[in-house]
Amino acid sequence: MIRTIIRQDWWMIRQHFLYKLLTLVFGVCLLLALWNGNGIYQSKMKTHAAIDSIARQQPVDHLQQVKAIEETGVYTGSPFSDPRAPYAVATHYAARYITYSLHPLAKWNTGQSDIQATYYKVTASKRQALLVNEEIANPQVQFTGYFDIAFVIIYLLPLFVIGFTYNISAQENEFGTLRMLLSEPVSITKIIAVKFVFRFLLTSVLLWTLLVLLALVSKVPLHDGRWFQFAAGAGCYTLLWFGVSWLFNACSRKNSGTTASLLAAFWLCFIVLVPGIINMIATGRYPMPSRIDLITQTREAAADISKKNSDVLGKYLQDHPELVSDTVGMNYNDFAVKAFTAVVETEKITAPLRNLFDEQLGSQQKIAATLGYCSPALVLQQSFNYSAATHEDDFRAFKEHVGTFFTKNRTFHTNRIISQKRFTSEELSSLPEPGAFEVADTKKNTYIYFVLFTMVCLLSGWVLMKRRLY
């Protein structure tokens, strides 16, 4: 009997123009999303390649310049550009770039990589550059996200499932085949259940086939656990929406239009409205400080410190007497020493406001993570972000890696700047190097959430199916 139901349902699917159109549109959207996501990914990779080229060549050029001066014993350029001068080395010649290596799955899921910096230029001077000088993207794009494969699965896959299942319970009535099926020794509930299982398997096979083909086209390694995590999340999300459709088919068994309206309302509420409400709650409860205030405060502090720079330098040396050299005379009017101590003092003044950025952002993310379980879309987005290594936790770890190197780099150069001890070509090899940043392989298990959500829908729908009769 099950074969008969499946064969008859397969015939209906092949005859229905809407199902063919949905499949075509969904496939085209995935291709367009891959093209768009790959363009964003390639653009970032070109930037990283250019940065890596500079990072490799800059130390070589610096070493050659210092050796040339040592061979001739003469330097005729500006003292502010002397490649041996400690301040020039710390703020220019020894600048180091740290890049965030994007995983190939970033082509599928842009995640936080569109609003987070994927590279930093680190010197021993201004710490606030790590906060202010980040990549800028269109604010509207930051709010809605880029059109990538993750976007298609999260927003459009549910609509595909709705269009594929909204009339299963009412279809037999509308096609006039109900009486024929009921003439067999099988219940209407079993008929609908068989159809749902068959269509779920059909949709899953189609989805996974498309994901495999897209992986081959976009050169995403199929043996990578991150790809499997991405595909498994998409499969569980599909299962959830079939469960939701089962529930609403049970609520309105005779009218496919009512079922479609209920499913569309559910999609609008939990995929569009709930994430927006959560965002308003998080930003309203913990508003971010103004970056303009930070920049203004930094400028005011720098201007005030420049007026009393000698006092600042004296205070700094008083706090750090180990930096005063006995063999090298200290010129308190030296521009480099004054500029460096002014930067350090400015950072102390602006530290509370800079820390407030991190505190407010962390609080917002905690609220979003807690309330995110109200929306399947947010749960899947977080899972995709972890799979593609584009989650905010990954970029937070990257920024901490950069901050650690910044502290190490500044500590190294401080004694040189204060004592005005010039670098030799042999000493350049001792300059701090940041080392590559490795993204942690974090596995966020959200499958339990989708399975539990689906089970609730299936059990509720089963009870309604049993209680309501045609």
Side-chain angles (χ1 to χ4, degrees):
M1 185 57 201
I2 293 179
R3 286 185 178 181
T4 303
I5 297 173
I6 293 176
R7 189 163 49 247
Q8 184 259 354
D9 194 44
W10 176 238
W11 177 84
M12 285 187 172
I13 292 173
R14 287 186 288 116
Q15 297 301 316
H16 208 303
F17 175 74
L18 175 62
Y19 301 150
K20 298 177 182 178
L21 180 63
L22 285 174
T23 304
L24 177 62
V25 171
F26 184 67
V28 170
C29 286
L30 284 176
L31 288 175
L32 291 175
L34 177 61
W35 176 76
N36 187 55
N38 185 67
I40 298 171
Y41 176 85
Q42 294 300 333
S43 176
K44 290 183 177 294
M45 293 306 293
K46 288 181 180 179
T47 301
H48 288 186
I51 290 174
D52 291 341
S53 177
I54 295 174
R56 288 191 300 268
Q57 188 62 35
Q58 185 169 281
V60 176
D61 294 340
H62 184 204
L63 179 61
Q64 291 177 348
Q65 292 179 35
V66 174
K67 284 185 176 180
I69 296 174
E70 290 176 345
E71 290 175 358
T72 60
V74 178
Y75 175 73
T76 58
S78 168
F80 297 103
S81 302
D82 189 343
R84 302 165 300 168
Y87 187 75
V89 172
T91 58
H92 175 63
Y93 292 102
R96 294 295 182 261
Y97 291 89
I98 308 178
T99 58
Y100 184 94
S101 299
L102 292 172
H103 190 274
L105 269 177
K107 304 172 186 177
W108 291 22
N109 179 60
T110 306
Q112 294 289 309
S113 65
D114 58 339
I115 57 176
Q116 297 282 356
T118 58
Y119 63 88
Y120 286 100
K121 179 182 179 180
V122 183
T123 66
S125 57
K126 297 181 179 180
R127 181 187 297 269
Q128 54 264 34
L130 304 183
L131 177 68
V132 178
N133 295 338
E134 296 185 357
E135 296 171 335
I136 304 300
N138 186 298
Q140 184 64 25
V141 173
Q142 294 178 16
F143 178 76
T144 59
Y146 283 103
F147 186 75
D148 50 21
I149 292 179
F151 181 93
V152 173
I153 292 176
I154 292 173
Y155 288 93
L156 302 186
L157 178 60
L159 297 178
F160 175 84
V161 174
I162 290 173
F164 198 42
T165 61
Y166 77 97
N167 63 346
I168 287 182
S169 63
Q171 191 177 46
E172 306 301 341
N173 262 338
E174 297 171 351
F175 277 60
T177 57
L178 179 62
R179 290 185 179 182
M180 180 187 69
L181 289 174
L182 290 178
S183 64
E184 301 288 343
V186 63
S187 66
I188 186 64
T189 302
K190 184 176 181 180
I191 294 173
I192 297 174
V194 171
K195 286 176 173 286
F196 261 98
V197 172
F198 173 65
R199 296 197 180 194
F200 167 71
L201 294 176
L202 200 62
T203 304
S204 299
V205 170
L206 173 65
L207 176 62
W208 275 60
T209 301
L210 290 173
L211 291 181
V212 169
L213 292 176
L214 291 173
L216 295 175
V217 171
S218 58
K219 298 181 180 179
V220 173
L222 293 174
H223 61 274
D224 194 337
R226 290 183 179 273
W227 178 87
F228 182 80
Q229 184 179 355
F230 187 99
C236 290
Y237 191 63
T238 304
L239 176 65
L240 181 147
W241 277 97
F242 267 86
V244 172
S245 182
W246 164 269
L247 174 60
F248 286 117
N249 269 271
C251 293
S252 179
R253 292 176 60 170
K254 289 187 177 181
N255 193 327
S256 58
T258 302
T259 306
S261 299
L262 291 173
L263 286 168
F266 184 90
W267 178 87
L268 180 64
C269 178
F270 287 91
I271 305 301
V272 179
L273 296 181
V274 170
I277 292 173
I278 293 175
N279 179 66
M280 287 191 295
I281 293 174
T283 55
R285 180 69 180 83
Y286 297 100
M288 292 296 290
S290 171
R291 288 182 182 269
I292 296 177
D293 291 343
L294 174 62
I295 296 173
T296 301
Q297 184 176 358
T298 301
R299 289 174 177 172
E300 291 176 352
D304 182 62
I305 289 172
S306 65
K307 297 177 181 178
K308 47 182 180 181
N309 214 301
S310 296
D311 294 336
V312 171
L313 178 60
K315 181 178 181 300
Y316 188 87
L317 292 176
Q318 191 175 24
D319 294 338
H320 303 82
E322 72 279 2
L323 299 180
V324 179
S325 173
D326 296 330
T327 59
V328 180
M330 180 63 64
N331 181 4
Y332 288 96
N333 295 319
D334 183 82
F335 170 82
V337 178
K338 285 187 176 182
F340 180 77
T341 54
V343 167
V344 174
E345 193 68 19
T346 300
E347 288 181 1
K348 291 181 181 179
I349 296 174
T350 59
L353 187 56
R354 288 187 288 108
N355 293 335
L356 185 59
F357 272 92
D358 294 333
E359 293 173 4
Q360 295 295 88
L361 180 59
S363 299
Q364 286 183 8
Q365 292 173 349
K366 287 181 180 179
I367 289 183
T370 302
L371 299 180
Y373 288 99
C374 297
S375 170
L378 292 180
V379 175
L380 184 63
Q381 182 66 72
Q382 294 298 309
S383 177
F384 281 167
N385 287 349
Y386 278 115
S387 300
T390 55
H391 195 274
E392 61 245 19
D393 290 346
D394 298 317
F395 287 100
R396 186 184 301 113
F398 176 56
K399 187 174 290 187
E400 290 174 357
H401 174 78
V402 174
T404 300
F405 173 70
F406 173 83
T407 302
K408 175 184 176 182
N409 192 49
R410 169 172 284 184
T411 302
F412 176 85
H413 287 284
T414 296
N415 183 50
R416 289 277 187 169
I417 294 175
I418 298 299
S419 63
Q420 291 292 286
K421 184 180 179 182
R422 291 181 176 181
F423 282 91
T424 64
S425 58
E426 290 79 10
E427 292 174 328
L428 294 183
S429 60
S430 64
L431 291 173
E433 296 295 336
F437 172 73
E438 298 293 337
V439 181
D441 189 10
T442 305
K443 294 183 179 179
K444 194 71 172 180
N445 190 354
T446 56
Y447 311 137
I448 297 177
Y449 169 85
F450 292 121
V451 172
L452 291 177
F453 199 118
T454 304
M455 291 301 298
V456 171
C457 293
L458 292 178
L459 292 176
S460 302
W462 187 267
V463 172
L464 289 174
M465 286 281 188
K466 289 294 186 181
R467 290 184 177 181
R468 300 188 63 177
L469 301 175
Y470 277 93

